[in-house]
Structures are given as C-alpha cells and as structure tokens.
Amino acid sequence: MFTKPRGTRDILPEENLKRRRAEAIIRECFESFGYGEIATPTFEHLELITAKSGEEIVEHLYAFQDKSGRKLALRPELTAPVMRAYYEAMQKKPKPVRLYYIANCFRYERPQSGRYREFTQAGVELIGSDTPEAEAEVLILAHTTLKKLGLRDFSIEIGHIGILRELLSRAGVEEQNRVLTLIDKGEIKEVEKYLGEQGVEKSWIEKLLAVISLRGGVDVLDKAEEIAEVKLDRFREMLTFLSRAGVEFTVNLGIARGLDYYTGMVFEIYAPKLGAEKQICGGGTYSLAEIFGHNKEATCGFAFGFDRLLLALEKDEVNLLTGEKRAAYIIPVKPEFLAEAFEVARILRERIPCTLEVNRRKLKKALSHASKQGFTHAILVGEEFRAGRVVFRDLIKREQSEVELKEVVNML
Ligand code: HAM
C-alpha cells in the first residue's frame, strides 16, 4: 500500500474550504495595505538558499541535482526567492516595493503537530524603505491580519538583533550567527561556553546575557541602552507607532530568529494554545542584497505559518465557514428526467452551488443521502419541469411544495 510521505498531509475538502476562507481574508488584508502578489518557482538554485539562510535551514533542505547536474533545492522559505526575483525583475521600480506570497515550503524536519515537511507560508516583504515607519507598517499588517482572521489568543514579541550583533562585534566575535542560533534555540549555557572558548572577555559575555534576558515594556530599552551602550531611538520610535496603532506587544531582546539574514528589529508571534510549535509568525529587518552583489537595500517582512495559523484559529474556536451559501441537492425523480435535472442544475448554479444525484438512487434513498451529506434542501425534477416548475423540499422539516424554478433561489 502507498501512503503519504512522512511529514506531508492530504488536505480534505472541508479543511480546504476553511483554508481558502482564511487565505481570502489574508489576501484581502495584504492587498488593503498595497502589497501585490508574487509567485516564484517551487525550487531554486541551492546556492541561493545556502548563501545566507543559516545552519538551521541548510541542514533541513530538500536538495537534489537535476539531470544536467544543477544543484537545486525545494524552497524552505520565500524571503531569499522573493529578493532574487526583485533583483531580476523589479529593481528599477519606484521604492518601496511591497510584495506578498502564499505558497508552500519544504523543510526536512522531525514532524510533529504543527511541524511538517511541506507547509504553507503567507508572508510579505517591504523592499526599499529604511525607516521605522516601514518596520511599523509590517508589524501593524501582521497584527491587523490576525485580528481580521478573528484570532484572539496571541502575543507579539519584538526584539532587536542589531543590538546583539553590535555587542558581539564589540566583543570581537566573528562567528555571530553561531551565537545567534544558540540564543534562538534558548541554549544560553552553550552561548556562555562557546563565547568562553572563543576567548571573549567575561564582561562582554555578561553584557550579552543581561541584554538577552530583557523582556517587558518599552522601558526595557532604557536598560538595554545602559548595558549595551547603544542608542535605540529608531527602535523606540517604531514601537511608539505600534502603540499608537493599538498593537499590543512585549519587548523581548532574547529573540534571535533561526535565519542568518536578520540585522535589526525582529519579531515572533505566538499562539500559546499550540504548545511546542506555538510560533505562528516570524519576521524582521534583514539584509540579503549583498548575496546578489548589490549595495545594502533596506528590507523587512514576515511570514505566517499558515498551517499553524489554522490550528490556532481552531483552538480559538473561530468559525471560518459562517455566511456559507446554502447548497441544493438536485434529484431527477426518474432517470428519464436526468437531462432536465442537468438543465435545472445549470440554471441554479448561476446563483447557488448545486450537487446532482448521479448514482441513480431511488427518490427515497437519494433524499436520505442528501440529508446525510448535510444538505438542507433538495430540488426534485420530474414531470412538472415541462411547465417550468420543480418540487422544492425542505429536508429538515420534511415538507415540500411545487414552485416555479426561478423562485427557488430566493427560497434558499
Ligand atoms: P521562519 O520563522 O523560519 O521565518 O518561518 C515563518 C513561519 O513559518 C514560522 O513562524 C512558522 O509558523 C512557520 N513554519 C516554519 N517551519 C515550519 C514547519 N516545518 N511546519 C509548519 N510551519 C512552519 C521565515 O521563513 C522568514 N522567511 C520570515 C521572513 C519574511 N522574514 C522576513 N521576511
């Protein structure tokens, strides 16, 4: 017997209906902020992905060679592919360029609830605005989208990798990404050990550990400035925009992210009810221009883990299927009325979804089948159709009446 590959899922119709609804809300939200959709290939040159994505991802790639020996990889995320497309086709466009995507990604990870080998990301990239308002916009967009979806239980945590990188530079640490990966994994003892082995002075290690333990309101910025001797005016301004926009957040300077391209503000959004895989969104300010041989270009963005978002909505008991259009089940009372039944279905489908009985069940069996399938109404097509009439049956009340076909749409 064949079964689906480990870490993948078959998404069945009812689930897909919810996914499409959620996708429509997300799309509408992203577009309402002026973002345009971009689609990139499912696979890219391996080097694009390995250039700057960090150990975390490189270990988890689906990489392969094609028949001409090209080294390729299924995309594990879309930030690097979108930036590649930007440099290939959009670089001359007026700035900023606002792009969004909803697409599948592939990571060779140990599967568990909320963690898959094929999953979907819905994200945005804002290219070419080096300002705190650009960063604020991206965060406000993530927040607005979650609110529009109806998610209630989530928290936004915002950090700043720029501060950590600055501290590490001053401490003389070249392998910064290694340290950031350890911080991201929460392996603080390992951070201490690694920096010690690199001969970093104890005072620097203490400063770094003090900064990454800072978590709270905007006031933790004062402490960070004092410990790290940095100015955080821009970060503070960005946070002010968020507060003014009604976005609730926690400053968490321990956020280091799992990808190596982040340079400034970073954030993660958690849905606590999801347990271990509670991170439903990740993003921040990053730099990828250099891998394309270009000068620094300000870029920031985020990606929702779409599958996790759906799990979170379910835990929050959000019903994505409200306002569902009612559908009708169309039954020819005898096989000789099948052609007429097709005709009725064709006319009604202009206004409402219709399912046709195609198994030649006897009327009684067909009605019981329709009820079991969740239909509330059936349209019986028989002799009356010659006069443009059908039998309209309420499957719940078990009542029926003969009506003009054109009246049916208003009765559902
Ligand atoms: P990321 O944090 O690696 O960031 O992924 C974004 C989101 O994708 C995560 O927060 C998580 O919800 C979801 N995700 C990641 N791996 C899996 C998995 N194996 N199964 C299910 N969901 C998963 C990025 O990918 C960046 N490109 C985000 C970004 C855009 N930064 C700037 N712009």
Side-chain angles (χ1 to χ4, degrees), residues 7 9 56-57 76-81 101 105-126 138 257-259 261-262 267-269 274 277-286 299-309:
R9 285 154 306 148
E56 189 68 349
I57 269 205
E77 57 111 42
L78 279 102
T79 305
Y101 46 83
C105 303
F106 306 83
R107 295 186 190 179
Y108 192 79
E109 298 194 292
R110 186 185 290 269
Q112 64 184 72
S113 168
R115 196 202 288 170
Y116 314 104
R117 289 183 173 171
E118 180 179 15
F119 60 98
T120 300
Q121 282 192 348
V124 306
E125 310 298 342
L126 172 51
V138 159
R257 306 284 295 125
L259 299 155
Y261 47 58
Y262 293 102
F267 68 100
E268 292 182 347
I269 306 181
L274 293 186
E277 301 304 317
K278 65 178 180 174
Q279 194 195 306
I280 53 168
C281 181
T285 295
Y286 57 89
T299 38
C300 62
F302 67 78
F304 286 119
F306 183 68
D307 312 85
R308 288 186 193 172
L309 204 49

Side-chain angles (χ1 to χ4, degrees), residues 62-210:
Y62 275 92
F64 57 98
Q65 275 196 8
D66 71 6
K67 292 193 174 105
S68 306
R70 290 183 197 92
K71 288 187 176 151
L72 302 166
L74 298 184
R75 60 181 172 212
E77 57 111 42
L78 279 102
T79 305
V82 166
M83 287 309 292
R84 176 200 51 69
Y86 166 77
Y87 282 114
E88 278 194 46
M90 287 171 284
Q91 211 193 332
K92 297 219 164 69
K93 295 229 186 277
K95 305 293 169 315
V97 172
R98 291 180 167 93
L99 301 169
Y100 85 84
Y101 46 83
I102 302 181
N104 55 350
C105 303
F106 306 83
R107 295 186 190 179
Y108 192 79
E109 298 194 292
R110 186 185 290 269
Q112 64 184 72
S113 168
R115 196 202 288 170
Y116 314 104
R117 289 183 173 171
E118 180 179 15
F119 60 98
T120 300
Q121 282 192 348
V124 306
E125 310 298 342
L126 172 51
I127 307 163
S129 300
D130 191 7
T131 61
E133 54 271 36
E135 296 174 335
E137 173 180 297
V138 159
L139 261 153
I140 292 169
L141 176 51
H143 178 260
T144 308
T145 309
L146 293 177
K147 287 283 179 195
K148 281 261 160 72
L149 283 164
L151 192 69
R152 288 183 294 272
D153 193 8
F154 68 89
S155 62
I156 302 180
E157 306 224 349
I158 310 175
H160 200 296
I161 278 195
I163 307 173
L164 309 183
R165 288 199 188 275
E166 174 67 27
L167 267 176
L168 290 168
S169 296
R170 285 201 234 145
V173 181
E174 276 170 23
E175 275 298 309
Q176 295 184 358
N177 291 335
R178 167 126 185 87
V179 182
L180 293 172
T181 304
L182 290 173
I183 298 175
D184 179 56
K185 288 188 182 152
E187 293 173 4
I188 307 306
K189 281 267 163 292
E190 287 298 310
V191 173
E192 227 177 317
K193 192 171 148 225
Y194 177 77
L195 291 176
E197 283 165 6
Q198 299 296 304
V200 174
E201 268 176 44
K202 208 159 183 266
S203 65
W204 283 113
I205 301 180
E206 278 166 6
K207 275 186 192 178
L208 181 76
L209 296 185

